[in-house]
Amino acid sequence: MDATGFKRGSDLLRRHQQDEGRAGEFTLLDRTWDLLDGVFSPTYTPVTELFSTWLPYPEGGAFLEMGSGAGVTSVIAAQSGCRTVTALDISAAAVENTRRNIERHQVGDRARALHSDLFSALSPDERFDVIYWNSNFAEAPDDFVNETDLHHAFFDPRYDAHRRFAHEAPAHLTDQGRLLLGFSSIGNSALLAEICGEAGLAVDVLRTERRSPDPDTTLEFQLLELRPV
Ligand SMILES: C[S@@+](CC[C@H](N)C(=O)[O-])C[C@H]1O[C@@H](n2cnc3c(N)ncnc32)[C@H](O)[C@@H]1O
């Protein structure tokens, strides 16, 4: 295992834990957002901003955001012409946070947030034009345990959830539906490619950008498409 991803994920987790009790507001993409304790903060890393800006939102279509966190991308999707937006998260605090931002930005007529371990809250016949996850790609030791909901924002030991995502998502896509993943250079690209291969998917890179979120760290952020082969 390359230790860089685990160190970066652990540093971010620690910063979030130090922030406990300091929930409030933040500004991103010219909008103000609520942030609750225990929820992934879009202010410590450029992922949320980059991917929310790059995503090909399906105008007039159905958009599913896996792991919505504070709900920024789901609200932007609803404001970008999607007919319906479904936001799912395994963290109850993230679901509540997404609901608050849906309400704050008045998109409740077309956006909903559900508590869900991957696709478990959906009925089997629900289909989407785009399914997207800014995933918990930071590498972790195989025996690492996600002790709290917040841990799930950063780590997916053995990429078990990524494996389930790659296998289960295609059944929830429309005929022309697209499966997208927000990833970065601290993720395990080789393991992701292996998992996708097992699920009959190829990994295409749609867009990348190098950024230095901290003075001593330069990362490449990647929007990936998982395409049937
Ligand atoms: C890197 S954070 C991204 C949050 C938000 N989408 C953003 O861009 O700011 C990953 C999110 O995925 C959620 N997540 C992790 N495992 C999950 C699972 N099995 N089912 C649903 N959501 C999950 C986490 O709780 C977290 O909110």
Side-chain angles (χ1 to χ4, degrees):
M1 189 195 82
D2 176 0
T4 318
F6 187 56
K7 182 181 178 310
R8 169 89 184 142
S10 303
D11 287 349
L12 279 174
L13 174 65
R14 205 168 308 115
R15 284 172 81 174
H16 281 73
Q17 288 167 332
Q18 284 163 358
D19 277 357
E20 284 291 307
R22 277 180 268 164
E25 292 183 339
F26 66 95
T27 302
L28 192 75
L29 294 166
D30 301 325
R31 297 159 179 85
T32 304
W33 308 88
D34 285 310
L35 182 67
L36 299 183
D37 277 338
V39 177
F40 178 85
S41 170
T43 59
Y44 291 145
T45 141
V47 277
T48 314
E49 180 180 5
L50 290 176
F51 299 146
S52 297
T53 308
W54 294 350
L55 277 167
Y57 297 108
E59 221 179 311
F63 178 82
L64 169 66
E65 183 182 17
M66 185 59 66
S68 56
V72 170
T73 308
S74 286
V75 168
I76 304 269
Q79 292 175 334
S80 302
C82 295
R83 180 175 41 84
T84 66
V85 174
T86 300
L88 305 177
D89 208 294
I90 197 169
S91 152
V95 175
E96 173 58 22
N97 204 153
T98 298
R99 285 191 182 135
R100 288 205 196 179
N101 281 316
I102 285 174
E103 199 171 314
R104 177 173 197 141
H105 294 280
Q106 301 177 345
V107 293
D109 57 337
R110 51 201 185 280
R112 62 177 177 160
L114 304 173
H115 192 204
S116 186
D117 180 4
L118 293 182
F119 300 94
S120 63
L122 300 181
S123 59
D125 60 343
E126 285 187 80
R127 302 269 183 281
F128 302 88
D129 298 294
V130 170
I131 296 177
Y132 157 75
W133 187 16
N134 172 17
S135 73
N136 43 5
F137 46 71
E139 276 207 84
D142 282 355
D143 59 355
F144 186 80
V145 176
N146 280 339
E147 284 170 4
T148 67
D149 277 354
L150 184 59
H151 282 69
H152 284 289
F154 305 101
F155 303 118
D156 176 23
R158 304 168 301 280
Y159 275 12
D160 289 346
H162 284 76
R163 187 172 287 103
R164 284 194 289 137
F165 181 75
H167 279 87
E168 294 173 22
H172 288 287
L173 286 172
T174 56
D175 288 347
Q176 303 300 318
R178 302 178 73 179
L179 184 56
L180 304 174
L181 190 71
F183 207 72
S184 96
S185 52
I186 61 160
N188 187 335
S189 304
L191 181 54
L192 180 69
E194 186 186 315
I195 284 168
C196 288
E198 288 162 14
L201 301 169
V203 181
D204 288 346
V205 179
L206 290 188
R207 188 160 172 179
T208 66
E209 189 167 317
R210 286 175 77 77
R211 285 275 186 103
S212 300
D214 297 311
D216 57 348
T217 326
T218 300
L219 303 177
E220 184 178 87
F221 297 95
Q222 308 156 344
L223 182 63
L224 307 178
E225 180 154 12
L226 313 185
R227 198 176 33 77
V229 281

